[in-house]
Amino acid sequence: MAERIAEEKINQIRQSVDIVELISEYIQLKKQGRNYFGLCPFHGENSPSFSVSSDKQIYHCFGCGAGGNVFSFLMELEGISFLEAAIKLAEKANIDLQVNFSGNGKGKSVSPEFQSMLDAHELLSKFYHHLLVNTKDGQHALEYLLKRGFTRESIDKFQIGYSLNSWDFVYKFLTKREFSPELMEKAGLIIKRERDGTYFDRFRDRIMFPIFDRNGNCIAFSGRSLGAEEPKYLNSPETAIFNKSKILYNFHLAKPSIRKLQQAVLFEGFADVIAADKSGVENGIATMGTSLTEEHITLIRQNTQSITICFDSDKAGIEAAYRAGNMLMDAGCTIKVAMMSDGLDPDEYIKKNGPEKFRNEVIGASHTWMAFKFLYFRRGKNLQIEGERLAYIETILKEISKLTKAVEKDHYLRQLASEFSISLDALQQQLKQIFFTEKRNSSGQNQQPVNKTRVLVKQENKLKPAHYTAERRLIAHMLKDRDIAYKIQDLLQGNTFNTDEHQAIITYLIGFYEDHMNPDSSAFLTYIQDENLRRIVADIEMMSINDELSNQELTDYIKQVLNYQKLLKIKEKELELKEAERQSDYGKAAAIATEISQLRKSL
């Protein structure tokens, strides 16, 4: 692969790709004043602290400190190199880099092993699909799918395929194309026999459902048996390219719809996603046979905060929906739960009742999270029995006490009062008791953590030394004006900033201005090599400063910077003075005192 891209091409990419549009593909942004704000994709948070400047074409998170331009955003979010980020952005902007790249032609500089695994999966997914829809060998599998309600449109959209009833077809197919058997075993496509070291295919005579990552790369398979053969579903093992805790089925196809509707529908399995998609619900995603994870939630929240959970309506499905809902609520999401009757799963419900009923009476009539908890906590209880009825009411009141909106609390209290013929005043009194009990318990049991958090907040908001603030404000003005940058350099008279990172930034900046006549925040961030310095620059760029730097303001800032070294010298001399006095060396003490006096006068 080429070592570098011409600087004019980098500048062309940067000027062609709008940072607001790019970041909006990953997270929701809302305009507030001149900037855009959203939930930071680099750390978990419930209130937006991630700011994007359209004017400066940079971003900065006031929570975790992340900051940079379009290149650094992709590099940090997707864990890729600058070269890979440049290639992806060039493709987005339809810019010809005029450089020949080795590799797969897609501009990805991943490791050869990793790329080989991706290539093998992509090749097999296309071949499996071809076998299913175009050959006699796959005819019986195609008929099986069509009888079960799959359409050709769905089969093509989800690239469903068929694996031959052969022990070694895939092994031969891949080795003939120079794929390493050892690597294909690591990729989960073939298995090694312990007795003789030979290989055989993992998937045989199965309907093949390819699994794609967020970028649309095939990374694994799930094979369904055609008859009673066990297991019913055989999945790829976890590999270097496939991690179930990070993958959401159909995310790459559902993402545009999720962003358009600002709503995702979370299913338990891919059969439900496919059935729902056929019914017109195109924003469906599913976990890969595992519980919802923090990684899944992070991926969802980058695109929407509103999620409808649509799991099976049997006991296990309802329990799973409750666990998932709690995790999503803790992450600050808005939750609804779609319920189906008769213990059906979404696929079965659609086959029995049709797509229109599923869209309108299941997804469209989803319960709020609190309404779902009304139903969840009454399962298995006989509310005709007084003790169970009172216990249920107590449980629901505890859940209502967790609500933050007064209107919601009032709504559900009235619902509870109406259902059980209890006065609203009595329920409100009980709610207050629960609130004060919970508050007392939390203040007593969790005193230590609460204090710990407050200490951290104080440390974070602690006032910085005057010289530190002065240096940052000087840098902010230097970033805005090339002439001011040189003027400040002259006023420093060969002295350096006291904070090493600040000095490094202005050294970079003066070098940048040697080649660039005009300030350019985004271009300067590309010019800086150090990630930590890029974050600091992005933070300084977001500072609010006066449009014009007055001579008095400039003089004050320079004085704060230069005085700091004198203050340090005074402290050093004060220690020397004490030591001289301790040793009764009064002549030396007098000389040091004179030095200290002169230093103080120069401040």
Side-chain angles (χ1 to χ4, degrees):
M1 181 166 287
E3 292 183 0
R4 67 186 301 274
I5 300 170
E7 186 178 350
E8 56 266 25
K9 287 292 180 183
I10 297 296
N11 291 333
Q12 188 182 353
I13 293 168
R14 194 169 37 74
Q15 292 164 9
S16 301
V17 178
D18 181 68
I19 195 166
V20 175
E21 291 181 10
L22 174 71
I23 294 179
S24 292
E25 294 179 13
Y26 295 86
I27 63 172
Q28 299 175 73
L29 293 175
K30 292 183 179 178
K31 191 168 187 181
Q32 296 179 19
R34 297 181 67 176
N35 295 340
Y36 294 78
F37 286 84
L39 296 174
C40 179
F42 303 116
H43 81 287
E45 60 177 7
N46 294 329
S47 55
S49 63
F50 186 82
S51 175
V52 184
S53 169
S54 178
D55 297 338
K56 298 175 180 177
Q57 287 294 296
I58 63 172
Y59 67 89
H60 176 69
C61 176
F62 297 99
C64 70
N69 57 12
V70 287
F71 297 102
S72 51
F73 179 79
L74 277 187
M75 289 164 67
E76 192 164 352
L77 189 69
E78 299 190 5
I80 58 179
S81 67
F82 177 83
L83 188 59
E84 291 174 277
I87 293 164
K88 290 188 77 166
L89 293 169
E91 289 176 355
K92 183 180 289 291
N94 294 317
I95 294 172
D96 181 6
L97 294 179
Q98 296 177 347
V99 180
N100 293 322
F101 296 100
S102 59
N104 67 346
K106 294 182 181 179
K108 296 180 181 284
S109 60
V110 297
S111 72
E113 284 196 0
F114 195 96
Q115 189 59 56
S116 184
M117 289 183 181
L118 289 175
D119 290 343
H121 277 84
E122 183 177 4
L123 182 63
L124 275 182
S125 68
K126 290 177 179 176
F127 184 71
Y128 285 148
H129 182 65
H130 169 74
L131 283 174
L132 178 70
V133 300
N134 294 321
T135 71
K136 289 183 179 179
D137 291 316
Q139 185 64 34
H140 67 294
L142 180 61
E143 290 174 358
Y144 174 86
L145 284 171
L146 295 174
K147 283 179 183 176
R148 288 183 59 85
F150 284 78
T151 63
R152 267 304 301 267
E153 184 181 358
S154 289
I155 290 168
D156 290 338
K157 180 174 182 177
F158 293 94
Q159 287 294 290
I160 301 169
Y162 169 70
S163 58
L164 291 171
N165 189 12
S166 166
W167 284 93
D168 61 0
F169 180 85
V170 167
Y171 166 71
K172 291 177 179 176
F173 179 78
L174 293 175
T175 52
K176 280 181 181 177
R177 286 157 179 80
E178 299 184 354
F179 286 97
S180 159
E182 293 80 13
L183 193 58
M184 293 306 99
E185 182 194 8
K186 287 183 183 179
L189 298 173
I190 58 178
I191 301 171
K192 190 175 185 178
R193 293 184 178 91
E194 289 186 12
R195 66 174 186 269
D196 58 7
T198 58
Y199 295 92
F200 63 96
D201 299 352
R202 178 178 294 276
F203 301 102
R204 302 179 303 279
D205 192 29
R206 285 179 177 269
I207 305 290
M208 300 298 289
F209 295 89
I211 299 162
F212 300 89
D213 66 15
R214 63 189 294 171
N215 298 314
N217 300 307
C218 180
I219 55 171
F221 293 99
S222 182
R224 191 197 191 286
S225 63
L226 288 158
E229 183 185 349
E230 292 294 332
K232 182 178 178 181
Y233 284 99
L234 179 65
N235 299 323
S236 292
E238 294 212 343
T239 67
I241 61 173
F242 175 51
N243 185 331
K244 288 187 288 187
S245 67
K246 297 179 180 179
I247 296 298
L248 289 168
Y249 182 77
N250 194 48
F251 180 81
H252 69 298
L253 293 178
K255 182 179 173 181
S257 182
I258 290 172
R259 296 190 68 80
K260 180 181 177 182
L261 300 173
Q262 278 306 298
Q263 179 82 24
V265 182
L266 181 65
F267 295 98
E268 280 189 278
F270 53 77
D272 296 331
V273 169
I274 296 170
D277 181 85
K278 185 180 65 177
S279 300
V281 180
E282 297 181 342
N283 55 336
I285 52 179
T287 55
M288 292 304 309
T290 183
S291 300
L292 195 68
T293 66
E294 295 295 336
E295 289 94 337
H296 292 145
I297 293 172
T298 299
L299 185 58
I300 294 169
R301 285 174 73 252
Q302 287 172 4
N303 295 274
T304 183
Q305 287 179 265
S306 299
I307 298 99
T308 299
I309 300 170
C310 187
F311 286 3
D312 297 357
S313 57
D314 58 10
K315 182 179 179 182
I318 291 171
E319 288 292 346
Y322 180 69
R323 289 193 301 272
N326 279 323
M327 288 183 70
L328 289 162
M329 283 296 293
D330 289 343
C333 298
T334 302
I335 313 299
K336 288 186 177 181
V337 182
M339 301 289 288
M340 291 159 293
S341 58
D342 306 322
L344 299 174
D345 63 30
D347 187 21
E348 293 166 339
Y349 182 94
I350 292 166
K351 286 173 184 172
K352 181 178 179 180
N353 300 290
E356 190 174 342
K357 269 200 168 186
F358 178 73
R359 285 197 312 273
N360 298 329
E361 297 181 19
V362 176
I363 301 299
S366 299
H367 298 275
T368 65
W369 180 235
M370 191 64 224
F372 169 75
K373 287 197 279 191
F374 267 77
L375 300 172
Y376 175 80
F377 285 110
R378 74 193 306 153
R379 292 175 314 122
K381 289 185 174 62
N382 184 350
L383 298 184
Q384 301 304 313
I385 299 173
E386 184 179 5
E388 293 196 28
R389 183 167 67 250
L390 290 173
Y392 169 74
I393 293 170
E394 177 82 9
T395 299
I396 294 299
L397 281 171
K398 285 181 179 178
E399 295 300 322
I400 292 173
S401 73
K402 298 175 185 177
L403 297 173
T404 56
K405 295 179 181 177
V407 173
E408 277 188 293
K409 284 184 179 180
D410 184 71
H411 172 79
Y412 291 113
L413 281 175
R414 290 178 187 278
Q415 185 175 316
L416 203 59
S418 174
E419 182 177 359
F420 294 102
S421 301
I422 303 171
S423 76
L424 188 60
D425 286 344
L427 289 176
Q428 288 171 336
Q429 279 295 113
Q430 184 76 359
L431 195 66
K432 286 179 183 177
Q433 288 179 16
I434 290 170
F435 174 78
F436 287 119
T437 301
E438 291 290 328
K439 189 176 182 181
R440 187 168 60 247
N441 289 341
S442 64
S443 62
Q445 294 172 5
N446 301 322
Q447 192 68 35
Q448 194 70 18
V450 169
N451 285 341
K452 218 172 192 179
T453 303
R454 285 175 181 167
V455 168
L456 287 172
V457 170
K458 283 181 182 177
Q459 288 175 345
E460 195 66 33
N461 295 331
K462 186 179 177 182
L463 284 174
K464 300 292 184 183
H467 77 274
Y468 181 91
T469 303
E471 288 176 0
R472 288 172 73 89
R473 291 195 172 276
L474 286 172
I475 291 171
H477 284 288
M478 292 171 83
L479 289 166
K480 285 177 61 179
D481 192 309
R482 185 172 182 265
D483 292 335
I484 285 179
Y486 284 116
K487 184 177 181 179
I488 289 170
Q489 189 185 31
D490 291 339
L491 289 171
L492 287 170
Q493 299 175 347
N495 293 289
T496 62
F497 278 176
N498 301 287
T499 306
D500 290 343
E501 290 85 358
H502 294 169
Q503 180 58 37
I505 288 167
I506 65 167
T507 302
Y508 268 119
L509 186 58
I510 296 301
F512 177 80
Y513 280 144
E514 291 297 319
D515 300 322
H516 299 77
M517 290 301 297
N518 298 310
D520 189 326
S521 304
S522 182
F524 180 54
L525 287 172
T526 302
Y527 183 81
I528 294 177
Q529 302 299 310
D530 185 270
E531 180 184 344
N532 183 48
L533 295 182
R534 281 199 295 262
R535 289 182 169 216
I536 296 171
V537 170
D539 186 23
I540 292 173
E541 282 280 15
M542 293 295 185
M543 287 173 57
S544 177
I545 59 172
N546 296 330
D547 290 335
E548 291 187 12
L549 179 62
S550 68
N551 288 330
Q552 184 60 53
E553 188 180 0
L554 176 57
T555 302
D556 289 343
Y557 291 152
I558 294 292
K559 187 177 181 181
Q560 291 291 352
V561 173
L562 297 179
N563 279 353
Y564 182 66
Q565 289 299 325
K566 295 177 183 177
L567 290 170
L568 291 178
K569 191 70 175 176
I570 289 171
K571 286 183 179 179
E572 181 186 322
K573 289 295 176 182
E574 284 174 342
L575 291 174
E576 289 180 16
L577 177 62
K578 286 181 181 178
E579 182 61 22
E581 290 173 342
R582 190 181 67 79
Q583 295 180 5
S584 300
D585 189 345
Y586 299 112
K588 185 178 180 180
I592 294 172
T594 302
E595 282 187 70
I596 292 173
S597 176
Q598 289 173 344
L599 284 168
R600 283 179 174 158
K601 285 178 182 178
S602 69
L603 290 176

